[in-house]
Amino acid sequence: MGNSTTKDRSIPQTIQPAKESSQLATFAAGCFWSVELVYQRKDGVLQTQVGYAGGNKVNPSYEEVCSGSTGHAEAVRLEYDPAVISYQDLLKIFWNKHNPTQGNRQGNDVGTQYRSAIFYHNDEQKTLAEQSRAERQKSYDMQITTQIVPAGVWYPAENYHQGYLEKGGQCAAKGCDDAILCYGY
């Protein structure tokens, strides 16, 4: 008999653009649960997937990523329709979602897996990311630590992490602006 509280550790298929005109974007800005939810709520974001990027361990588990030994960051890959939401708008959401000067942490979450990173999928995304980082730096006294690196290999996180906050009852509807709560606060 199965235990109803057992986590679904199966791995979903990597998201691929469902529309010919859509594009992928990948961001790391701390715990991937809240980053995913902020993008799920945006018009033009067609699908999201949390996972691991930027490291050297093939097919890492959540526990391995949390150990800090894999080099991976918790990240969100999303498919978006550039006719509805631009990459520049996705970057604004990214910068507004977290503090990019904190290095390997966001708030109480500490470790390399919580670093700030933009994983670009093409040269245009790289250029726009670099321009946006330079512009955002003007608002901070401390140095922005956000990495801008090629997207590379993507490893989807286990199914129980996908849509985690939505499964917990938080609104993921397009246009929702309810506060996003992680860990009960």
Side-chain angles (χ1 to χ4, degrees):
M1 292 190 359
N3 180 344
S4 63
T5 61
T6 300
K7 295 177 180 173
D8 181 358
R9 293 186 175 278
S10 62
I11 307 295
Q13 293 294 315
T14 299
I15 65 169
Q16 298 296 326
K19 294 173 55 177
E20 188 174 312
S21 61
S22 64
Q23 295 184 23
L24 295 176
T26 306
F27 302 103
C31 176
F32 51 24
W33 296 337
S34 65
V35 179
E36 179 184 38
L37 188 58
V38 77
Y39 282 112
Q40 284 176 309
R41 294 174 169 184
K42 300 302 177 188
D43 287 324
V45 174
L46 306 174
Q47 59 178 330
T48 61
Q49 184 175 61
V50 297
Y52 315 115
N56 51 30
K57 170 81 166 92
V58 175
N59 295 318
S61 69
Y62 179 69
E63 291 76 16
E64 289 171 324
V65 171
C66 286
S67 77
S69 65
T70 68
H72 286 290
E74 288 190 15
V76 177
R77 178 161 285 185
L78 55 97
E79 177 190 6
Y80 69 99
D81 182 345
V84 179
I85 189 167
S86 69
Y87 189 72
Q88 292 95 321
D89 288 336
L90 296 173
L91 288 166
K92 287 177 193 170
I93 294 163
F94 168 80
W95 294 118
N96 290 333
K97 175 65 186 102
H98 74 302
N99 181 341
T101 68
Q102 290 190 333
N104 292 326
R105 72 175 301 150
Q106 280 300 304
N108 292 328
D109 293 328
V110 179
T112 58
Q113 71 271 25
Y114 298 117
R115 69 185 179 271
S116 175
I118 300 168
F119 298 95
Y120 60 85
H121 292 265
N122 57 47
D123 289 340
E124 180 184 13
Q125 286 185 357
K126 178 183 180 184
T127 299
L128 292 170
E130 289 172 341
Q131 290 171 347
S132 71
R133 180 176 60 189
E135 185 61 32
R136 185 52 65 124
Q137 182 61 63
K138 296 174 186 176
S139 340
Y140 288 98
D141 292 329
M142 295 180 65
Q143 186 65 35
I144 286 178
T145 61
T146 303
Q147 299 172 330
I148 299 174
V149 294
V153 179
W154 173 252
Y155 298 103
E158 299 83 347
N159 273 321
Y160 71 92
H161 288 294
Q162 306 301 328
Y164 187 85
L165 295 179
E166 180 182 13
K167 291 175 193 172
Q170 294 192 52
C171 177
K174 299 298 182 195
C176 179
D177 63 359
D178 292 353
I180 295 175
L181 305 175
C182 262
Y183 316 117
Y185 57 90

